[in-house]
Amino acid sequence: MRDDSPTQTLLADYRPYPLTAESVALTFRLAPSATRVTSAIRYRANPAGSGPVRFDGEKLRLIRAAVDGVELTPGDYELDSTGLTLTRPLPDSFLWEAEVEIDPAANTALEGLYISKGMYCTQCEAEGFRKITFYPDRPDVMAPFKVRIESDLPVLLSNGNPVGSGPGWAEWDDPWPKPAYLFALVAGDLVATHGEFITCEDRRVDLNIWTRPGDEDKCDYALDSLIRSMDWDERVYGRAYDLDIFNIVAVDDFNMGAMENKGLNIFNSRYVLASPETATDKDYELIEGIIAHEYFHNWTGNRITCRDWFQLCLKEGLTVFRDQQFTGDMRSQPVKRIDDVLGLRAGQFREDSGPLSHPVRPDAYAEINNFYTATVYRKGAEVIGMLRRLVGPEGYDKALDLYFERHDGDAATIEDWLKVFEDATGRDLTQFKRWYTQSGTPRVSVEDSYADGTYTLTLRQQTLPTPGQPDKQPQVIPVAMGLLNPNGDEVLPTRVLELTEAEQTFEFKGLSSRPVPSLLRDFSAPVVLDRAVPSAERAFLLAHDTDPFNRWESGRALAKDSLLATIRDGAAPDADLIEGLRAVITDDSLDPAFRAKMLALPGEDDLAQTLHQSGTTPDPLAIHRAVGALEDALARALESELTALHDSCQVQGPYTPDAASAGKRALGNAALGLLTRLDPARARAQFSKADNMTQQQAAWAALLAVGEGAVETRAFYEQWQHERLVIDKWFSMQVTLASPETCAETARALQSHKDFDWKNPNRCRSVIGALALNAAGFHDPSGASYRLLADALIRLDPINPQTAARVSSAFDSWGRYDAHRQELIRAELRRVLATPDLSRDLTEMVSRILGA
Ligand code: B3K
Ligand code: ZN
């Protein structure tokens, strides 16, 4: 193991900064390889702070610096590769001026100021501002910013309101104090799709979605989503927008989904651009959700920010929770809940059960970018959902009002957040706080009995040790539940049991017969429920539960049990499952989107995780075959119903992305996927006559999944070679749906394709990231995919460490597998770790995955 492991930053070491920044003025003279940034920053001593006056700064060429107009000489400061420390005495209040030169054209890491297809743009969260100029690059230093941009490019944007422009320059003024991570600048030859919003405070806001010329016809849905988000945040949270302009810019080269810079959101173009021909229903839904998420950050993140990066979940968990509520309101709450739980289990439960497990509020990191995780985001949102359930919707609203009132303008902590709930509702949250500090997924086991009209439920909770946390304390687990009569009537409507001890018993009296329990309704806590349930009881709940989530969950559990039985001892598919599904999918009173969810089987990675947790070593190929066999059985047994569904779900007329049409298409395409296992003709026909991407991609996917589709793969490329975002799909679908034996060679060949681009994160994720989505292919016992991923990490790391670190998490499940696979993966990880000059990002990830 290398001994030059990166230094850790610890929550326990937090100290306030010795200065406050009162105002920041920046001038950018843009040039691709030699941009000049001058800064004039007024600082004042912060009595609460301590330590030397040090400004962060990386990859900056210092031209000159002055304090109160007096040029500094080398004896006045110490400069090293990560910053500048002022060593001369400083007055209580002083003006810092500096000029630095930076090289945006060489910035392939896409952090700081960089160039994407001739467009200048920035990404500063978490610590990118230090690559722009010297500054205390930490979220608790907040200041109003004025920015002047000088460039011949026609569109020059920054945060806040525009205050002046002329040929070759523009000036912006952001009156709201903000941390440097929310700074943004964009300059380019851009076109805008305009809109307008009048706030409930009567402010007229100009809305613009900026793209490169040629993409402007794909912005309508993003603009519409923005307007609906602004309206929703006013109605539901009482939060209005606070500037005269709101700009969104779409860029092709971007490390993540989007960024909430104040007044100037920058987006990965895949979460802005959509047309019926090029984007799927899922793409539209993601655009709506991410536009909302970034907009909602204006209050939860920007107006109230984080004191330090350990508090990241303060803004991310809350903002995810808010965007989930929004999407549920726009579409269907039950379907959204199912989607969110699927995402939680696939991303967060997986993370929490392996070497990368960490608390929602971590207490140490080497590279903070490695902690923008499913745990911080998704579990962070679940924790807020639990809080809301425990204090009730009114308590929640009261607490949120107090949060905005008390902390507007602050850099706050999780302690501040919980205190607001305690003060608003009177509830003691001492034990609840463990959700932020204790990692791992609690397992709740259930025992029940019935005698003399009394039903008794015993719940026990246990959380297994996770890295750095061998001993776990009981948590507050809200278990929403109801009881049904054997005839299907609900005898006890939903109520919330609060499990706070390691073991607790709850009694329900006065029942006339033994009830059927429906537990963890709406997935009221991010836990694993351990309860052996006979398949007849699951089938009963699938048919009768009044809680839509648990209805779906019962079908899911039936499918999972059936698959596990096939994997373990070759059992035939469960007849209760097939009949239960027949009843649900043909029930026209149910939402088609919900029925589509019912038809989707558990993912292969989910099954591997379940097997591992029950003490069986998963065999990825056996899992893949079992899923295929169950799909075959469903297709054969339900052929006539599926055929009728596919026919009746054809949406007539021009494509619209609304939830109802999307739900119908989802159900039709779920049916098509199964029917294609019997005969590919339907999918071929749908592919050739499709007039929208949802139908075209679903047909192609159905063919690829059964080893067909070579003709369509060529046709798809021919048709879409000039649409980058569609070609990303072309790359990723081939890897994701390759047969286990051909996955590695498919991915390797695609890496040599003329359209593959190591500098474009979307393209890298489409091939390298997609490996992880093909469980059987990734874990092929030859080790070919492991080698391919390790090779790719080594090649990508010097270009873009953040993206390399992110895709490396595909290896985090190594501990589940047999000794042969474990050894293969560990050898690849050791090879990566031995690479000279490996980034801090990837070093930390690989070391953690290896358990070093
Ligand atoms: N806050 C950004 C993510 C920044 C990631 C930095 N590595 C987007 C979001 O969560 O809204
Ligand atoms: Zn966010």
Side-chain angles (χ1 to χ4, degrees):
M1 204 53 41
R2 42 196 295 151
D3 46 10
D4 54 345
S5 44
T7 42
Q8 297 272 310
T9 304
L10 304 181
L11 170 59
D13 289 346
Y14 173 81
R15 299 286 176 278
Y17 191 65
L19 305 176
T20 54
E22 299 192 317
S23 63
V24 175
L26 302 171
T27 299
F28 289 80
R29 264 179 289 144
L30 297 177
S33 301
T35 287
R36 287 288 172 105
V37 185
T38 53
S39 52
I41 302 163
R42 169 128 326 254
Y43 289 106
R44 180 176 294 281
N46 175 12
S50 57
V53 171
R54 180 171 170 81
F55 302 141
D56 301 298
E58 285 175 24
K59 298 195 165 143
L60 308 174
R61 192 164 79 83
L62 180 63
I63 311 287
R64 58 181 188 85
V67 168
D68 286 334
V70 179
E71 296 276 322
L72 298 189
T73 59
D76 295 330
Y77 60 89
E78 277 164 16
L79 191 59
D80 56 50
S81 65
T82 62
L84 181 154
T85 307
L86 283 176
T87 48
R88 52 160 276 175
L90 293 164
D92 237 28
S93 160
F94 67 93
L95 181 69
W96 160 264
E97 290 172 287
E99 180 168 1
V100 301
E101 190 175 282
I102 54 178
D103 185 356
N107 184 354
T108 59
L110 313 183
E111 202 185 38
L113 178 68
Y114 64 94
I115 299 185
S116 168
K117 308 235 162 47
M119 179 199 309
Y120 289 84
C121 76
T122 53
Q123 171 55 37
C124 292
E125 188 176 1
E127 298 180 333
F129 192 75
R130 62 191 60 190
K131 295 179 173 172
I132 292 176
T133 194
F134 289 102
Y135 193 68
D137 188 8
R138 41 187 287 167
D140 59 347
V141 175
M142 300 170 82
F145 279 55
K146 286 188 194 330
V147 175
R148 177 181 169 89
I149 310 169
E150 297 176 9
S151 161
D152 291 336
L153 289 163
V155 177
L156 308 174
L157 307 173
S158 191
N159 315 92
N161 294 317
V163 287
S165 63
W169 66 275
E171 289 181 354
W172 292 81
D173 184 350
D174 183 2
W176 299 103
K178 67 165 175 289
Y181 83 84
L182 292 172
F183 166 81
L185 176 153
V186 169
D189 180 7
L190 303 173
V191 284
T193 300
H194 297 287
E196 187 184 80
F197 186 84
I198 304 200
T199 70
C200 55
E201 295 164 352
D202 259 342
R203 182 194 288 271
R204 179 183 297 268
V205 185
D206 277 339
L207 311 176
N208 300 292
I209 315 272
W210 297 93
T211 64
R212 289 191 292 132
D215 285 336
E216 61 272 33
D217 56 339
K218 298 199 185 76
C219 298
D220 291 349
Y221 193 72
L223 181 61
D224 178 59
S225 303
L226 174 60
I227 292 170
R228 286 183 284 119
S229 307
M230 296 176 86
D231 173 64
W232 187 90
D233 213 16
E234 289 187 353
R235 282 189 291 107
V236 180
Y237 279 81
R239 299 292 114 201
Y241 188 61
D242 52 8
L243 291 167
D244 303 333
I245 189 166
F246 190 83
N247 286 312
I248 290 177
V249 183
V251 302
D252 285 342
D253 300 289
F254 205 64
N255 277 342
M256 61 262 175
M259 178 64 211
E260 69 265 24
N261 317 297
K262 182 79 188 191
L264 177 54
N265 286 187
I266 299 180
F267 269 63
N268 188 323
S269 53
R270 71 175 287 202
Y271 298 121
V272 174
L273 305 179
S275 71
E277 297 74 29
T278 59
T280 61
D281 290 328
K282 193 71 209 169
D283 294 327
Y284 277 94
E285 184 179 337
L286 284 167
I287 289 169
E288 175 180 79
I290 296 176
I291 293 268
H293 178 98
E294 306 309 332
Y295 175 73
F296 296 158
H297 267 314
N298 191 54
W299 274 95
T300 51
N302 301 4
R303 290 283 287 256
I304 306 179
T305 194
C306 304
R307 187 193 70 174
D308 54 67
W309 290 120
F310 297 102
Q311 321 295 328
L312 184 58
C313 62
L314 179 76
K315 74 178 179 82
E316 295 304 347
L318 177 54
T319 306
V320 171
F321 182 70
R322 277 152 49 70
D323 85 53
Q324 292 175 344
Q325 289 181 303
F326 168 78
T327 300
D329 278 356
M330 296 295 123
R331 293 166 180 256
S332 142
Q333 290 293 358
V335 173
K336 177 62 177 156
R337 188 68 189 132
I338 292 167
D339 267 336
D340 289 336
V341 173
L342 283 169
L344 183 81
R345 286 178 175 154
Q348 203 278 323
F349 281 18
R350 171 188 162 128
E351 183 166 78
D352 231 357
S353 64
L356 297 178
S357 175
H358 58 274
V360 172
R361 181 171 74 180
D363 39 34
Y365 60 78
E367 171 51 63
I368 185 57
N369 283 323
N370 288 336
F371 285 84
Y372 287 74
T373 58
T375 297
V376 170
Y377 277 65
R378 289 182 177 275
K379 188 173 178 184
E382 291 300 317
V383 171
I384 292 171
M386 286 189 287
L387 258 181
R388 186 170 186 270
R389 210 176 284 273
L390 290 170
V391 303
E394 297 80 26
Y396 177 81
D397 290 350
K398 242 173 100 184
L400 267 284
D401 286 344
L402 182 59
Y403 180 61
F404 293 120
E405 185 191 313
R406 189 182 283 177
H407 291 293
D408 186 13
D410 286 354
T413 61
I414 289 303
E415 283 73 15
D416 295 330
W417 163 254
L418 290 174
K419 182 81 171 62
V420 151
F421 274 80
E422 291 187 328
D423 292 352
T425 67
R427 199 187 158 102
D428 178 353
L429 294 172
T430 314
Q431 187 187 4
F432 186 84
K433 190 179 171 190
R434 288 184 189 146
W435 280 108
Y436 287 99
T437 55
Q438 186 161 285
S439 56
T441 307
R443 301 184 75 92
V444 175
S445 63
V446 182
E447 261 172 48
D448 62 348
S449 61
Y450 175 78
D452 305 328
T454 297
Y455 176 69
T456 307
L457 201 54
T458 301
L459 304 178
R460 291 187 188 86
Q461 60 167 306
Q462 192 205 4
T463 304
L464 295 175
T466 52
Q469 291 191 349
D471 302 311
K472 305 289 185 179
Q473 303 297 315
Q475 298 186 185
V476 182
I477 300 179
V479 180
M481 53 85 66
L483 297 176
L484 282 86
N485 253 344
N487 69 5
D489 291 343
E490 193 162 62
V491 280
L492 181 84
T494 303
R495 52 175 289 182
V496 179
L497 310 179
E498 291 185 23
L499 177 61
T500 56
E501 312 286 328
E503 175 177 334
Q504 248 167 289
T505 295
F506 302 89
E507 285 192 343
F508 306 89
K509 295 188 192 301
L511 300 168
S512 53
S513 56
R514 186 187 177 106
V516 180
S518 163
L519 300 175
L520 208 66
R521 283 186 158 176
D522 199 37
F523 202 67
S524 59
V527 301
V528 174
L529 201 59
D530 269 330
R531 177 165 177 254
V533 181
S535 78
E537 187 177 320
R538 294 213 197 280
F540 172 86
L541 289 172
L542 168 60
H544 299 290
D545 205 325
T546 52
D547 179 66
F549 177 83
N550 262 7
R551 219 174 152 183
W552 169 82
E553 180 83 319
S554 302
R556 181 89 175 171
L558 264 181
K560 219 163 163 175
D561 289 350
S562 174
L563 284 163
L564 294 175
T566 307
I567 295 162
R568 287 197 178 110
D569 34 66
D574 185 343
D576 283 337
L577 168 66
I578 294 176
E579 291 321 310
L581 284 181
R582 192 193 309 276
V584 169
I585 63 173
T586 52
D587 180 349
D588 287 331
S589 71
L590 294 172
D591 177 5
F594 178 78
R595 287 189 272 160
K597 294 278 168 233
M598 299 281 342
L599 268 183
L601 297 182
E604 295 175 28
D605 191 72
D606 182 0
L607 291 162
Q609 189 174 309
T610 307
L611 281 165
H612 171 65
Q613 284 173 348
S614 63
T616 308
T617 303
D619 172 357
L621 198 59
I623 295 174
H624 183 69
R625 292 207 179 110
V627 173
L630 179 53
E631 286 176 343
D632 287 342
L634 289 174
R636 281 194 301 271
L638 304 175
E639 183 177 0
S640 62
E641 289 85 354
L642 293 169
T643 306
L645 270 183
H646 185 249
D647 289 340
S648 66
C649 285
Q650 298 308 311
V651 181
Q652 303 306 320
Y655 173 93
T656 54
D658 62 280
S661 309
K664 241 176 132 178
R665 280 187 289 269
L667 181 55
N669 287 329
L672 180 69
L674 292 172
L675 288 170
T676 305
R677 303 194 71 89
L678 305 177
D679 178 357
R682 257 178 193 266
R684 293 223 164 90
Q686 178 168 319
F687 184 91
S688 34
K689 71 167 206 284
D691 65 356
N692 64 73
M693 183 49 68
T694 307
Q695 296 298 90
Q696 187 178 16
Q697 177 174 306
W700 180 39
L703 291 167
L704 288 176
V706 297
E708 301 276 342
V711 174
E712 288 74 15
T713 299
R714 280 192 295 277
F716 194 92
Y717 181 80
E718 285 304 311
Q719 187 181 353
W720 296 116
Q721 52 187 312
H722 302 300
E723 289 281 351
R724 298 178 63 85
L725 296 174
V726 183
I727 291 302
D728 286 334
K729 298 183 194 300
W730 183 77
F731 276 95
S732 72
M733 296 266 292
Q734 290 180 72
V735 178
T736 311
L737 293 169
S739 69
E741 311 75 42
T742 61
C743 175
E745 78 191 59
T746 304
R748 203 174 278 277
L750 287 173
Q751 272 181 20
S752 310
H753 190 277
K754 69 177 175 53
D755 292 337
F756 187 77
D757 179 2
W758 289 95
K759 292 191 177 154
N760 178 258
N762 286 358
R763 201 50 57 86
C764 287
R765 285 186 283 260
S766 294
V767 176
I768 305 161
L771 280 173
L773 303 175
N774 186 334
F778 183 57
H779 293 288
D780 185 65
S782 69
S785 295
Y786 302 152
R787 200 169 324 119
L788 183 71
L789 178 57
D791 288 345
L793 293 178
I794 291 168
R795 178 145 179 197
L796 182 57
D797 187 56
I799 300 171
N800 187 330
Q802 233 183 87
T803 299
R806 188 148 280 260
V807 293
S808 73
S809 64
F811 281 131
D812 78 339
S813 59
W814 66 269
R816 290 180 194 156
Y817 296 98
D818 54 89
H820 170 68
R821 286 186 173 90
Q822 290 199 6
E823 198 30 60
L824 288 173
I825 296 178
R826 280 207 306 254
E828 295 300 344
L829 287 169
R830 284 192 292 260
R831 180 162 71 90
V832 172
L833 205 53
T835 308
D837 300 321
L838 205 67
S839 67
R840 178 172 63 193
D841 310 58
L842 192 53
T843 305
E844 180 183 38
M845 288 298 284
V846 175
S847 311
R848 285 169 64 213
I849 294 171
L850 276 170

